[in-house]
Amino acid sequence: MNNQTAQTWACIGVTLIVVHLLVLFSIRPYGYDYSAMIRLSSDTATDTVAPEYIQKGMVVFDRGGGYDGQAYYYVAMDPFLTIGHYKDGYRQQRVVYPLAARLAAFNDVRLLPYSLYCVNLIALAVGVYFFILLLRRFSLSPFWSLFYGLAPPSIMTIQYDLPSALCLALIIAAVYFYLEDNLPLTAVLFALAFLTREDTVVVFAPLFVWEAHSRRSLKRAGLLAASLLPFFLWQEYIFRTLGTLPTAESSTVISFVPFSGIYGHLKTFAGAGAKDALKGAINIFIFVWLMALLVLMGWRLVKTRHPFYYVTLAYALLAVITVPSQWNNFNGLLRIFYGVFPFLVLSYGVERSVPIRYAGYFIGVLTALTIVRVLFVSPVYSFVLWQ
């Protein structure tokens, strides 16, 4: 085994070990029960509850504690809406992750608490592997992959059984094969990514524009655009089944008034206690970092056109139009900008810009904050074991 291969496996190993240990710590108060990661809730006032899908012995939070992972568990119980106890088109459109978990469980729903977790761990490992292959193209050390593998969204999406880890792994693999000039496989991977999270468009759109502009080939552009077809067909299926268009709800996280989101968040500081003020200040700090990336990418694009600069710029621009409710949630906020972490590192590889390098180092600060949050800040909620 050569040194480069050893470093690759070391990075993947460190990533998985650290994430796994943090996950174990987060479910320790619930008897290390993996169903606690799903964050099932019995509170119908705050969450959509499908008791028909909750299995005996599962951890269920009765006052607070419910989170988005329960939606993907419900979808895994009925991926194609044939039973119909859970009817949320917004979550149903993200079918690949729960479907992959169902397949990994060998269609045994009793194994879903474990397969939801395992699919995410495997996705993260695969994502880190392809990311290291991309780093090699720019002669960057594999250890730069830790800024992606241990980025806050990598930790939090796995901790709560969410689809972001799988989505970004598919995107990174798609970008790798795009640079390898394997457009058919790129299109397949992007198609799967769109069916995992629709915000794949933040990466896809800049690459599609780059492809159309740089190659000027209608055939290549058409092949890449074909990756959208399964997404639209699935949207049409959900619409016919549920009578709602999922993409309409997806657009609610976007404001067409620039900076209204962060402005609305700032207004919540009035009368806030010290703890809430500190949480808000951290989110504002993240906004400032994203605005710095906006300036940095704009500055580099004046000199050099590169698709990684465009993608990082797109994520920074997303911060300008993100609604106030997203800025109030550290967990959900950073998952929206998950893609900025690997593409910022890749942007550094393009020209070795010193300001971009230090902007990349800031990821380490956010990771440290996330670890502190998991170990010392995250509350323990009351729960019951479902009977």
Side-chain angles (χ1 to χ4, degrees):
M1 182 184 295
N2 60 39
N3 187 52
Q4 200 171 49
T5 302
Q7 289 179 348
T8 297
W9 285 111
C11 290
I12 294 173
V14 167
T15 296
L16 296 183
I17 290 169
V18 171
V19 170
H20 181 62
L21 290 176
L22 289 172
V23 165
L24 286 179
F25 187 88
S26 71
I27 62 175
R28 179 176 57 92
Y30 314 111
Y32 297 103
D33 191 322
Y34 281 75
S35 68
M37 298 167 60
I38 299 173
R39 313 303 290 193
L40 288 162
S41 171
S42 61
D43 187 354
T44 56
T46 58
D47 295 286
T48 302
V49 181
E52 299 89 349
Y53 293 148
I54 303 176
Q55 302 176 62
K56 184 178 179 180
M58 281 187 156
V59 171
V60 177
F61 299 94
D62 50 4
R63 290 188 300 275
Y67 202 62
D68 295 353
Q70 61 187 320
Y72 302 106
Y73 166 75
Y74 290 149
V75 173
M77 292 293 287
D78 183 21
F80 301 108
L81 294 166
T82 54
I83 303 173
H85 293 310
Y86 181 73
K87 300 178 181 180
D88 185 335
Y90 175 64
R91 304 296 182 183
Q92 201 76 37
Q93 69 179 331
R94 301 173 175 182
V95 72
V96 166
Y97 170 56
L99 185 58
R102 183 67 177 259
L103 293 173
F106 304 102
N107 207 36
D108 185 345
V109 297
R110 295 172 299 177
L111 298 178
L112 282 176
Y114 306 100
S115 64
L116 284 164
Y117 178 51
C118 289
V119 165
N120 266 340
L121 274 186
I122 293 170
L124 185 60
V126 171
V128 170
Y129 174 75
F130 278 103
F131 188 63
I132 290 173
L133 294 183
L134 288 171
L135 291 173
R136 288 178 184 173
R137 294 180 67 98
F138 299 94
S139 301
L140 287 176
S141 166
F143 291 105
W144 278 95
S145 68
L146 296 177
F147 285 116
Y148 153 52
L150 296 179
S154 294
I155 297 169
M156 293 184 291
T157 193
I158 292 178
Q159 182 185 355
Y160 295 117
D161 282 344
L162 304 172
S164 305
L166 177 58
C167 180
L168 193 56
L170 289 167
I171 289 172
I172 289 172
V175 171
Y176 170 77
F177 286 109
Y178 174 75
L179 294 182
E180 291 290 306
D181 213 29
N182 188 337
L183 216 57
L185 188 51
T186 300
V188 169
L189 290 166
F190 264 124
L192 291 172
F194 271 110
L195 290 171
T196 309
R197 278 186 65 100
E198 69 285 354
D199 55 6
T200 295
V201 70
V202 182
V203 177
F204 178 83
L207 286 181
F208 179 77
V209 172
W210 173 265
E211 172 67 26
H213 175 73
S214 62
R215 300 296 185 103
R216 299 182 184 278
S217 168
L218 290 177
K219 180 180 179 181
R220 287 176 58 89
L223 182 58
L224 197 58
S227 62
L228 290 167
L229 182 60
F231 174 77
F232 288 125
L233 290 175
W234 184 241
Q235 292 280 313
E236 195 267 342
Y237 176 81
I238 295 173
F239 179 74
R240 285 197 305 150
T241 305
L242 300 181
T244 60
L245 191 62
T247 48
E249 189 171 346
S250 301
S251 64
T252 59
V253 300
I254 300 299
S255 170
F256 293 102
V257 180
F259 300 105
S260 62
I262 192 64
Y263 175 71
H265 178 58
L266 285 169
K267 290 198 297 183
T268 64
F269 277 89
K275 183 178 179 180
D276 290 336
L278 177 60
K279 290 180 180 178
I282 291 173
N283 291 342
I284 291 173
F285 203 33
I286 294 169
F287 175 79
V288 172
W289 176 63
L290 290 168
M291 290 303 96
L293 293 185
L294 183 64
V295 173
L296 281 173
M297 293 304 117
W299 167 58
R300 297 315 303 170
L301 281 168
V302 170
K303 178 183 177 182
T304 305
R305 307 291 184 187
H306 196 279
F308 293 161
Y309 289 163
Y310 283 113
V311 173
T312 307
L313 180 70
Y315 275 106
L317 283 171
L318 185 61
V320 175
I321 56 175
T322 300
V323 296
S325 60
Q326 297 299 320
W327 289 104
N328 292 328
N329 182 350
F330 180 80
N331 183 8
L333 175 66
L334 285 179
R335 283 189 291 110
I336 291 175
F337 300 103
Y338 194 1
V340 81
F341 296 93
F343 282 99
L344 173 59
V345 172
L346 292 173
S347 294
Y348 168 64
V350 175
E351 294 179 295
R352 300 293 202 280
S353 166
V354 174
I356 294 179
R357 182 179 70 196
Y358 282 103
Y361 288 161
F362 183 72
I363 298 172
V365 175
L366 294 177
T367 295
L369 286 173
T370 303
I371 293 174
V372 168
R373 178 178 179 271
V374 172
L375 298 181
F376 305 109
V377 178
S378 295
V380 177
Y381 295 96
S382 63
F383 70 98
V384 297
L385 296 179
W386 196 256
Q387 299 300 320

